Amino acid sequence: GAGVSQSPSNKVTEKGKDVELRCDPISGHTALYWYRQSLGQGLEFLIYFQGNSAPDKSGLPSDRFSAERTGGSVSTLTIQRTQQEDSAVYLCASSLAPGGQFFGPGTRLTVL
Amino acid sequence: AQKITQTQPGMFVQEKEAVTLDCTYDTSDQSYGLFWYKQPSSGEMIFLIYQGSYDEQNATEGRYSLNFQKARKSANLVISASQLGDSAMYFCAMREVTGGGADGLTFGKGTHLIIQP
């Protein structure tokens, strides 16, 4: 596609449920990144993929968070047993390193 | 210590004036990249400009230029001839290239720019 797409755009879930967020990067971009943006914490880096491998998982806030990428393209971010503090906008970006990372529109996650 | 510092939480500027948004960074890496992003109220993150640490010339993209002062660890964004549509949050970010790989961006807290007619 022309840009990075993410789905769903909004997700409301109950505390304790699992959620899956999807990112479809720009075609041909080998690097893919997940961030989250919240009022209290600003923009935080979560995880980075180069191809299908994730050399940098340092930003994942807990073991409830995991991500995978298949076929060097689509990525899913999974949050298990969601907590209210997980409420945020989850942003995905892709790039042809070096240079700019191009962001998707984000998924707004609300945990009730 | 913060890796990216943006000292201006908010700025009001008259339309058509030039704007400088401050950004200082902290890294011990020799190789790094500096970025500026714009986030309007719609929430999308729009890539504006990139400067590599080894680039000798300041980066420019249309009305945007990056005033890169390596010794001072400063990477200010300059917007010439501001327009009402420039009103948005602006984030400075850095990528530190360690171990041969490209890590995620570290963002500053942002500057909320409001252009007044």
Side-chain angles (χ1 to χ4, degrees):
Chain A
V4 178
S5 60
Q6 292 186 246
S7 60
S9 54
N10 278 285
K11 176 73 177 178
V12 179
T13 190
E14 292 180 348
K15 178 180 171 181
K17 301 278 191 187
D18 297 351
V19 294
E20 268 192 9
L21 312 180
R22 176 188 167 107
C23 172
D24 203 338
I26 293 171
S27 178
H29 280 193
T30 55
L32 185 147
Y33 305 78
W34 283 98
Y35 297 85
R36 72 176 176 182
Q37 185 174 28
S38 58
L39 278 175
Q41 301 296 324
L43 273 152
E44 303 171 88
F45 165 71
L46 298 179
I47 189 169
Y48 151 67
F49 287 92
Q50 180 62 43
N52 289 336
S53 65
D56 190 353
K57 301 181 181 181
S58 61
L60 292 177
S62 78
D63 58 8
R64 296 186 295 104
F65 287 71
S66 62
E68 64 175 17
R69 188 181 186 194
T70 54
S73 180
V74 172
S75 174
T76 53
L77 177 70
T78 301
I79 309 172
Q80 295 179 308
R81 305 181 302 281
T82 51
Q83 304 293 313
Q84 287 181 330
E85 61 262 28
D86 299 336
S87 295
V89 176
Y90 289 81
L91 293 161
C92 176
S94 70
S95 76
L96 281 172
Q101 295 179 15
F102 295 89
F103 283 76
T107 293
R108 181 175 296 278
L109 174 67
T110 304
V111 182
L112 301 176
Chain B
Q2 288 184 33
K3 289 212 168 187
I4 297 287
T5 302
Q6 293 181 252
T7 57
Q8 306 149 311
M11 283 184 75
F12 289 87
V13 174
Q14 288 296 119
E15 191 180 6
K16 298 189 178 66
E17 289 183 354
V19 182
T20 297
L21 304 180
D22 295 340
C23 174
T24 56
Y25 59 92
D26 182 24
T27 181
S28 55
D29 284 8
Q30 295 301 309
S31 180
Y32 52 90
L34 297 158
F35 304 77
W36 277 93
Y37 285 85
K38 173 183 179 181
Q39 188 176 42
S41 56
S42 57
E44 62 199 295
M45 290 286 285
I46 302 168
F47 167 64
L48 295 179
I49 198 165
Y50 164 79
Q51 178 88 39
S53 57
Y54 291 119
D55 295 340
E56 294 187 354
Q57 303 255 358
N58 285 342
T60 60
E61 288 287 347
R63 293 186 300 113
Y64 304 107
S65 61
L66 199 152
N67 184 1
F68 181 45
Q69 298 188 37
K70 195 169 182 177
R72 297 179 59 186
K73 294 189 174 177
S74 166
N76 297 343
L77 177 71
V78 180
I79 307 174
S80 63
S82 58
Q83 302 171 356
L84 295 178
D86 294 333
S87 295
M89 282 292 289
Y90 287 80
F91 292 96
C92 179
M94 176 172 64
R95 185 187 70 227
E96 294 166 283
V97 182
T98 56
D103 295 331
L105 297 178
T106 302
F107 285 86
K109 295 191 182 298
T111 294
H112 189 190
L113 176 65
I114 297 173
I115 307 297
Q116 298 176 310

